[in-house]
Amino acid sequence: MHNPSVMSFSVEPLNAETVVIRVGKALDFRNAAEFKAICQEQVQNGVRNFILDFSETGILDSTGLGAIFFPCTGRFRRVTARLSLRRSRGPYRWSCS
């Protein structure tokens, strides 16, 4: 089910190899696939540096956490990617199941 309040990623290119991805309210099982698709597209376009902005994020579950490292795994293992995280404004609500 599509939930607009959760599906809120924006990509801001800083240069040809660096983007800022603003995560929005949540990165979890509901939108991790969308996040991975965004990362995959960026890697295919030559991006090697990812800055993830969690300043508006309040929910991060294990699926979302795994998605954060997607550019460095699987078929992209041979791609050298740098990942930087911007801090959240408050504590995350963790979901463990």
Side-chain angles (χ1 to χ4, degrees), residues 27-28 31-33 35-36 39 52 61-71:
L27 179 54
D28 61 14
N31 61 2
F35 179 81
K36 287 180 180 182
C39 290
L52 304 182
D61 72 2
S62 60
T63 305
L65 188 58
I68 291 171
F69 298 101
F70 179 74

Side-chain angles (χ1 to χ4, degrees), residues 48-83:
R48 298 297 179 259
N49 303 306
F50 293 84
I51 301 169
L52 304 182
D53 184 343
F54 288 97
S55 61
E56 298 296 320
T57 307
I59 300 170
L60 177 64
D61 72 2
S62 60
T63 305
L65 188 58
I68 291 171
F69 298 101
F70 179 74
C72 305
T73 63
R75 68 176 130 168
F76 298 116
R77 215 175 311 172
R78 295 187 187 117
V79 172
T80 301
R82 182 179 312 166
L83 178 67

Side-chain angles (χ1 to χ4, degrees), residues 6-71:
V6 174
M7 310 289 184
S8 57
F9 303 112
S10 66
V11 179
E12 175 190 339
L14 295 182
N15 58 49
E17 292 191 345
T18 305
V19 294
V20 175
I21 300 177
R22 288 185 175 77
V23 175
K25 295 181 183 281
L27 179 54
D28 61 14
F29 70 95
R30 297 171 290 180
N31 61 2
E34 178 186 0
F35 179 81
K36 287 180 180 182
I38 289 169
C39 290
Q40 181 177 4
E41 178 182 350
Q42 296 304 314
V43 168
Q44 290 171 343
N45 290 333
V47 171
R48 298 297 179 259
N49 303 306
F50 293 84
I51 301 169
L52 304 182
D53 184 343
F54 288 97
S55 61
E56 298 296 320
T57 307
I59 300 170
L60 177 64
D61 72 2
S62 60
T63 305
L65 188 58
I68 291 171
F69 298 101
F70 179 74

